[in-house]
Amino acid sequence: MRVPLEWLHEFCAPDLPARELATRLAMTGTEVERLQRHGPDALDLFVVGRVLAAEQHPAADRLRVCRVALGEGDVAQIVCGAPNVAHDQTVAVAQPGAILPDGTKLGRATLRGVESAGMILAEDELGIGTDHSGILVLDDVGSGEESDELVPGTPLLDLLPGLATDVLELEITPNRPDCLGVYGVAREVHAATGAPLRVAPWEGALPSAWAGEVEGAHVEVRDPDLCPRFTATVYDDVRIGPSPPWLKARLMAAGQRPINNVVDITNYAMLLTGQPLHAFDLDRVAGGTLVVRRAREGEEVVTLDGQPRRLDGEMVLIADADGPTSIAGVMGGERSEVQDDTTTVLMEVATWDGPNIHRTSQLLGLRSEASARFEKGLAPEQTLEAQSVAHGLMVDLCGATPRPGLIDVGGAGPAPEPLLLRSATVTRLLGREIARERQAEILRALDFGVEETPGEAVGAVPFATAGEGLAVSVPPFRRLDVTREADLVEEIARIDGLDALPATLPARRGASGLLMRPQRLRRRAEDVLVGRGLHEVVGWSFTSRELLERLRLPADSPLRAVVELENPMSEGQAILRPTVLGSLLDAAGHNVAHGHRDLALFESGAVYRTGGGRLPHEHHALAILLHGGLQPATWGTPQPPRASFFAAKGVLAAVLDALRVEWTVTPAEEPFLHPGRSAAVVVAGERVGFLGEVHPLVVRTWELDDPVAAFAVDLGRVVAAAPEVERYVDLTTHPAVRQDLAVIVPAGVPAACVVEVATRAGGELLARIEIFDVYEGEQVGEGQRSLALHLEFRAEDRTLTDQDADAVRATIVRALGDELEAVPRGE
């Protein structure tokens, strides 16, 4: 909503600069997107001029050399190319130094050898219209009589007050359609600043005795649930023509293009009141009767933009004897529009069902200023406000003769019961007291009716004692938004100043405020990654179906059981992500494209898959991605280690060990992982994730360098496997006995199997085992591999001897030989 301050100040003019006013409105809940300047600059150089002579240019057929009076004794020579410039015209002149709306700064010029000092202006060069066919002639702008305002040298701003103005561009929330009108914004400014508010422009404009039928026009509303109120007036002797410059200037500043006086009146009244109007050429309404009804399936209307629109059975239209003539609440029809030869106008102002208008607008892909207002919900009472404003303008600007009577189908809505506002509720919700007089002052400024509670009850609401609170009547334009006592408290808070509210914590109601155990363990895992130097990223939960192909997922992959959105914002956000790996790859690709190649990233977030029940399956995943060098190069390590399977495994071990979770790895066949450098992560006998280097073909689709290492685990299942009570082991009272063992095994035996057999054979006395060397070569034979194991033996109740350790070691050797055909190296 664009609100020209010149127009706003006609009703409420606070003594505040435009920027301070914008800040004050924003602090009361009316968001100001931007503050703009409309119109020309250096306004003192735009003046009224009178053409004393207009002679043919000696060297150009289409130019005239004009002598223009600009004030007492001041005559300028101006070369003009407009075809309508003539002697004795009153015109708008821009003198050298003036700045046009497009930013052009005028100077003295020489055109075909003749000096020109300024410009005689057309409408579009002033920003008050779109016409460039000729200059703007000001003789008929005033009252039609000789007046001081047309004296040469008079500042043009005195004649056209809307010529230049600051404009507030407001972002109006769906619950405040009353602020989609200039007077509604003026009401807000009045409440926010205390500046006086003029009487509403519609007060007393329509003759109070008008009612009932209008001769020659009839209205039938067949679906009152979708059209609560329909009003119409009729005007004869209408003269179609251009609007006066002041009206064009205001429309242009508000973002509307002038068309003709009747259409401009409907737009002007809508912008002022917030209530849309539509003008029919009554002579083009077949049968003189308008019927409001639901459309028949497949009915078509050719709208004002010349496009045929096919309707369904839930859309509302206005029809005449020949069929549909407009789409109700959205756009008028081409067949009954006001044209240059129109002489009789039916002015329609109606109220429509907001959700229905929103649905119609969405399905037809047709959004208008009218639909944007109707879909938010307008009160039936607002129809007469718009009719009143349009009535005065039709008579003044079109020379129209109104037919007596006002068609009114549906009437005003029922008045709701008043609401009770108790001071105790205000204090409880806001955390501070606000005097009852101040509460009443704010609500009255917003046009609420306010009275002290008259007795033991207001409406159907009983009170303990008279005078306990305020009885508040909600104005029609706020009835959809303000329905309870808390809404009144909100109105008081935003106007009195949200910045004045104390900062307090909510009252504790039995909750400890502490993190639950799964939350603490999740944070511990994330803290481990931060401590290892990884940076957290937060990716979108929405992703594209293309991700499934980029990850090379086969048709039967469980990751293809994705949750699809019914109304995605775009194809790139059509599904919920089945894995965090995609968003990590996206983040890595973005960073590499911007020159950051050494990456250590992690993300902790939800992933989604379809489940067997009504709701999709959702779990919390933890994933990392490594790319490039793992640490900066130094003089001692000019080639630092790079991302690899073992680097990712080390980070995974740090996380799981910090959670005290027992885990192992088994072979994995993930299609997006390198087939020889990947594994499945197993916790408590269940697969909880994957680990490995990303497949080179996948890496290539994100334009990354190979290798890229990653892991992802179901953090919820990992946390569930963590011990409830952490058990600490005494490592100092009885020290360990350490021995090394080298065994030769077939090359196809995984090292994890060797560790598993040795752990089982070692029993309770084997405290730790790890592989610290792998060798393949001539010394161990073809098809064989040597693994070096580091063993630690420890007992809780005594210090072990070498003989104790040797016995356990021998048991391990026998088990490896029996189960894996392992032979101790050197034997």
Side-chain angles (χ1 to χ4, degrees), residues 178-189:
D178 58 297
C179 289
L180 288 172
V182 171
Y183 192 80
V185 178
R187 188 189 299 116
E188 285 289 307
V189 173

Side-chain angles (χ1 to χ4, degrees), residues 652-653 655-657 659-666 679-691 711-723:
L652 175 64
V655 171
L656 298 182
D657 292 348
L659 299 179
R660 310 292 194 270
V661 172
E662 298 291 337
W663 63 285
T664 59
V665 294
T666 60
V681 182
V682 177
V683 172
E686 295 185 355
R687 185 185 184 280
V688 298
F690 64 82
L691 161 71
F711 75 72
V713 294
D714 183 338
L715 193 54
R717 294 164 65 186
V718 170
V719 165

Side-chain angles (χ1 to χ4, degrees), residues 1-14 18 21-22 24-26 28-32 166-173 176-198 201-202 254 270-274 373 382 385 445-447 477-478 494-495:
M1 173 70 184
R2 288 171 55 91
V3 180
L5 288 189
E6 175 273 330
W7 196 356
L8 178 71
H9 288 167
E10 180 179 328
F11 304 106
C12 185
L21 175 60
R24 184 74 186 103
L25 283 174
T28 58
T30 304
E31 185 64 34
V32 180
D166 288 318
V167 178
L168 298 176
E169 189 162 336
L170 307 180
E171 179 67 28
I172 304 301
T173 53
R176 295 301 306 276
D178 58 297
C179 289
L180 288 172
V182 171
Y183 192 80
V185 178
R187 188 189 299 116
E188 285 289 307
V189 173
H190 163 62
T193 66
L197 178 68
R198 286 188 58 184
W202 49 81
M270 176 187 69
L271 293 171
L272 179 56
T273 66
R373 287 165 169 79
Q382 292 177 260
E385 297 173 358
L446 294 170
D447 216 11
F477 55 85
R478 296 299 304 278
R494 70 182 184 86
I495 298 299

Side-chain angles (χ1 to χ4, degrees), residues 457 466 610 756 815:
T610 55
E756 180 184 358

Side-chain angles (χ1 to χ4, degrees), residues 529 532 534 599-600 624-631 640-655 663 677 691-693 707-711:
L529 295 176
R532 301 276 295 209
L534 279 77
L599 303 172
I624 74 158
L625 181 144
L626 305 177
H627 178 273
L630 301 180
Q631 63 187 41
R642 302 183 65 79
S644 66
F645 171 89
F646 296 104
K649 184 179 180 183
V651 178
L652 175 64
V655 171
W663 63 285
R677 303 172 188 171
L691 161 71
E693 295 181 13
V708 173
F711 75 72

Side-chain angles (χ1 to χ4, degrees), residues 515-522 659 719-725:
L515 294 177
M516 300 176 65
R517 179 175 176 274
Q519 293 173 315
R520 294 198 305 272
L521 294 179
R522 182 189 302 173
L659 299 179
V719 165
E724 289 284 344
V725 179

